[in-house]
Amino acid sequence: MTVGNKRRQPSLAQLRAFAAVADHLHFRDAAAAIGMSQPALSGAVSALEETLGVTLLERTTRKVLLSPEGERIAVRAKAVLGEVGALMEEAEAVRAPFTGVLRLGVIPTVAPYLLPTVLRLVHERYPHLDLQVHEEQTASLLDGLAGGRLDLLLLAVPLGVPGVTELPLFDEDFVLVTPLDHWLGGREGIPRQALRELNLLLLDEGHCLRDQALDICREAGRDDVPVTTTAAGLSTLVQLVAGGLGVTLLPRTALKVETSRSNQLLTGYFADPAPTRRIALAMRAGAARGGEYEELAAALRQALRPLPVRVVDRDA
């Protein structure tokens, strides 16, 4: 199609008017919802129909109905308006850093233990930032980041995912949590090889901590870990240990919270170098708010120093 013969495109005002009618199926209510006069709204919808060459509404004396074509176009119109809203939020963030919405995804084995520090930091340092938290497993978080549903992730790395930039925060050791009568309970300097013979309890599939535990076992020379009992979260896992069903690995940041609920547990510490995991922020490569996320990561590194972790440099 030549430039001179290019079809007209609908305006945002026309799309907003039609989306409002699609939501309310009533001209008066739709007009009131978007602060437009009823004649202006009706004219905008008619103009949209003319521009698209499609009948969007079935008008009767009593009610308004979407035509089959209108139902399909309504979905697209709302998606366009949603993207325009996101564009405006992004522009606002550029004008005024640390304002607007920040959708943070966090894995379940991090959320309960780090969020208090994260939320306190945001409240004190970035009071105009609208932080929205989503707790999900790693695969779901990465899908959300790639699809634009999430802006920033807090999770275990490395991810090895193209198009994702990792901002490392800290490394933390794993410890061995056992029942009171276990021969490794309370010991220090435990060799990793001891994992070869232990009845190790794991989280359900999909949790990155499960995969990390299996990797640690493989590094210790154990290729098979019989799975007879699993748990959806660390709290349940620790209670299973307290009940004598086996032992488990916990990251140090979770230790105090999870073991304080029972007096039937002991903690064992591995010999150096202990098995570890690294926690980082992750963002889309080239994110428009990348500078803000870098600054947030730097602030978090300082805020997390009181925890039993080893803060890492940005380039580590």
Side-chain angles (χ1 to χ4, degrees):
M1 182 180 292
T2 63
V3 174
N5 195 31
K6 185 179 293 184
R7 292 182 61 182
R8 288 186 300 161
Q9 295 185 349
S11 69
L12 290 177
Q14 292 170 355
L15 294 177
R16 289 193 186 95
F18 172 57
V21 173
D23 284 338
H24 295 276
L25 296 178
H26 195 286
F27 277 96
R28 185 179 64 248
D29 293 345
I34 62 174
M36 180 183 286
S37 69
Q38 189 170 333
L41 179 131
S42 180
V45 174
S46 296
L48 179 62
E49 290 179 313
E50 181 180 350
T51 298
L52 298 177
V54 174
T55 299
L56 301 173
L57 303 176
E58 297 178 3
R59 301 166 176 83
T60 70
T61 56
R62 293 188 174 183
K63 57 184 177 181
V64 177
L65 298 175
L66 290 177
S67 68
E69 297 81 4
E71 291 182 355
R72 294 177 59 183
I73 297 297
V75 174
R76 295 287 188 180
K78 292 175 184 178
V80 169
L81 293 172
E83 287 300 316
V84 171
L87 182 149
M88 297 303 294
E89 288 180 2
E90 198 75 24
E92 181 181 357
V94 171
R95 293 195 306 270
F98 295 104
T99 60
V101 175
L102 173 58
R103 298 163 297 184
L104 175 68
V106 191
I107 56 175
T109 58
V110 162
Y113 321 114
L114 298 191
L115 278 181
T117 300
V118 174
L119 296 177
R120 182 166 57 251
L121 172 69
V122 170
H123 177 74
E124 293 175 355
R125 185 171 296 197
Y126 312 115
H128 300 295
L129 185 65
D130 180 9
L131 182 65
Q132 300 176 1
V133 177
H134 302 263
E135 184 184 33
E136 302 169 21
Q137 293 184 7
T138 299
S140 177
L141 293 180
L142 289 172
D143 286 343
L145 185 69
R149 178 174 61 84
L150 298 172
D151 304 309
L152 191 64
L153 308 181
L154 179 58
L155 73 179
V157 297
L159 299 168
V161 176
V164 175
T165 299
E166 299 171 7
L167 308 175
L169 298 176
F170 63 84
D171 295 327
E172 63 175 327
D173 293 341
F174 284 97
V175 297
L176 187 69
V177 179
T178 74
L180 287 178
D181 59 356
H182 197 276
W183 66 283
L184 289 176
R187 285 185 53 181
E188 296 186 3
I190 299 172
R192 293 197 195 194
Q193 289 74 15
L195 291 170
R196 297 175 184 175
E197 307 301 329
L198 299 180
N199 181 22
L200 190 64
L201 302 179
L202 300 172
L203 291 173
D204 293 337
E205 291 187 8
H207 288 278
C208 61
L209 189 58
R210 173 195 176 96
D211 298 330
Q212 291 159 356
L214 292 173
D215 287 342
I216 293 168
C217 289
R218 282 189 283 269
E219 291 171 4
R222 180 176 182 176
D223 294 326
D224 63 320
V225 180
V227 179
T228 57
T229 302
T230 62
L234 291 183
S235 296
T236 302
L237 201 62
V238 169
Q239 293 306 311
L240 294 174
V241 174
L245 296 188
V247 302
T248 197
L249 296 170
L250 278 190
R252 285 289 302 273
T253 51
L255 183 63
K256 182 177 180 181
V257 171
E258 298 303 343
T259 60
S260 64
R261 299 189 179 103
S262 174
N263 59 3
Q264 301 299 308
L265 299 166
L266 288 175
T267 303
Y269 298 88
F270 290 96
D272 291 334
T276 65
R277 71 171 180 175
R278 172 163 290 187
I279 300 300
L281 292 176
M283 64 179 181
R284 288 182 295 276
R289 301 175 72 178
E292 290 179 55
Y293 302 155
E294 294 264 12
E295 182 179 333
L296 177 60
L300 270 175
R301 293 185 192 106
Q302 296 304 313
L304 293 167
R305 288 188 183 278
L307 299 182
V309 302
R310 295 182 300 280
V311 171
V312 300
D313 294 330
R314 166 62 184 94
D315 297 326

